[in-house]
Amino acid sequence: QKEVEQNSGPLSVPEGAIASLNCTYSDRVSQSFFWYRQYSGKSPELIMSIYSNGDKEDGRFTAQLNKASQYVSLLIRDSQPSDSATYLCAVGEWYTGNQFYFGTGTSLTVIP
Amino acid sequence: NAGVTQTPKFQVLKTGQSMTLQCAQDMNHNSMYWYRQDPGMGLRLIYYSASEGTTDKGEVPNGYNVSRLNKREFSLRLESAAPSQTSVYFCASSEGGISGNTIYFGEGSWLTVV
């Protein structure tokens, strides 16, 4: 069973601070990596995807991937109360029938 | 663009009853999935269909069946509902292949079995 591990939190940061979310995965041959945000009672929505080692920035969000360490992270700069949600890390493998594996999520609270 | 649409959104069943959750996507995606989400358990894959005409078991298939009716539609059936199947169910789809494998979710179906 492929594993995607996240710190469940809860993680609390003050408004305007940087929130750092971390994820490790077990399968060294995984090809694609995603961060989803899920508000309570809602479905997961895609924030970032990353396929290559290094950083990828999109607005206030930066995803970082290190395949050698099997580690992917998400940084949220200038955190806002509206960022309060559960963040899901996901790993995709197209060669095994296009499957996706999800962590259990990290709960983030941004304190005004 | 509706994306992934699933029905019903809410359902209460009695133990032993059967029901079908319907899912359709309008993104011309090849792959479709059914997940369930329970508190503290994350998203667990029930069944998936990598392409039209194929279906495969995921992590928690017991008590469920699926049908890939065509490229757009993928239904999930509970033949004899049990309280352990009380959960939130998400249908999802993905284009498939190395260059298009982002997964998109429907709004969810809240199922309670009493």
Side-chain angles (χ1 to χ4, degrees):
Chain A
Q1 178 66 27
K2 302 183 193 297
E3 295 183 350
V4 179
E5 301 284 344
Q6 295 181 253
N7 187 330
S8 63
L11 174 65
S12 295
V13 299
E15 184 174 355
I18 295 175
S20 177
L21 306 166
N22 303 314
C23 173
T24 59
Y25 57 95
S26 63
D27 194 339
R28 189 168 290 277
V29 298
S30 297
Q31 294 113 1
S32 52
F33 308 87
F34 308 89
W35 284 99
Y36 286 81
R37 177 176 61 200
Q38 186 174 26
Y39 293 114
S40 180
K42 301 295 186 181
S43 61
E45 58 178 327
L46 180 70
I47 299 175
M48 297 279 288
S49 60
I50 186 166
Y51 300 91
S52 304
N53 280 328
D55 295 358
K56 179 180 178 182
E57 186 175 321
D58 184 1
R60 296 185 296 110
F61 299 96
T62 299
Q64 299 173 317
L65 174 61
N66 184 328
K67 290 188 177 180
S69 300
Q70 296 175 235
Y71 174 88
V72 58
S73 65
L74 179 71
L75 299 177
I76 306 175
R77 292 182 301 281
D78 188 24
S79 295
Q80 300 297 310
S82 58
D83 295 326
S84 297
T86 296
Y87 289 80
L88 304 174
C89 174
V91 173
E93 296 180 357
W94 66 270
Y95 67 92
T96 57
N98 202 36
Q99 295 196 56
F100 296 82
Y101 304 92
F102 288 83
T104 54
T106 298
S107 176
L108 172 66
T109 300
V110 180
I111 303 167
Chain B
N1 191 342
V4 180
T5 304
Q6 52 182 112
T7 58
K9 186 157 188 175
F10 300 99
Q11 184 72 48
V12 179
L13 286 178
K14 293 182 179 179
T15 296
Q17 286 185 321
S18 63
M19 77 159 297
T20 300
L21 298 176
Q22 306 285 355
C23 176
Q25 52 90 10
D26 62 3
M27 296 177 281
N28 199 36
H29 283 171
N30 291 306
S31 302
M32 297 186 72
Y33 313 81
W34 278 105
Y35 288 89
R36 61 177 288 174
Q37 188 175 40
D38 303 290
M41 301 293 289
L43 285 162
R44 293 185 292 170
L45 183 64
I46 305 171
Y47 272 93
Y48 69 102
S49 172
S51 60
E52 185 179 0
T54 68
T55 60
D56 286 286
K57 296 179 181 179
E59 181 185 356
V60 289
N62 291 344
Y64 305 95
N65 286 300
V66 291
S67 296
R68 183 76 182 264
L69 303 171
N70 47 55
K71 191 172 184 178
R72 290 186 64 249
E73 299 174 287
F74 188 40
S75 63
L76 178 71
R77 183 162 178 83
L78 287 70
E79 292 291 352
S80 179
S84 61
Q85 294 177 305
T86 293
S87 188
V88 182
Y89 292 85
F90 289 104
C91 180
S93 71
S94 169
E95 182 177 348
I98 194 169
S99 62
N101 68 341
T102 302
I103 188 170
Y104 299 93
F105 289 87
E107 293 188 340
S109 296
W110 275 254
L111 176 64
T112 301
V113 183
V114 298

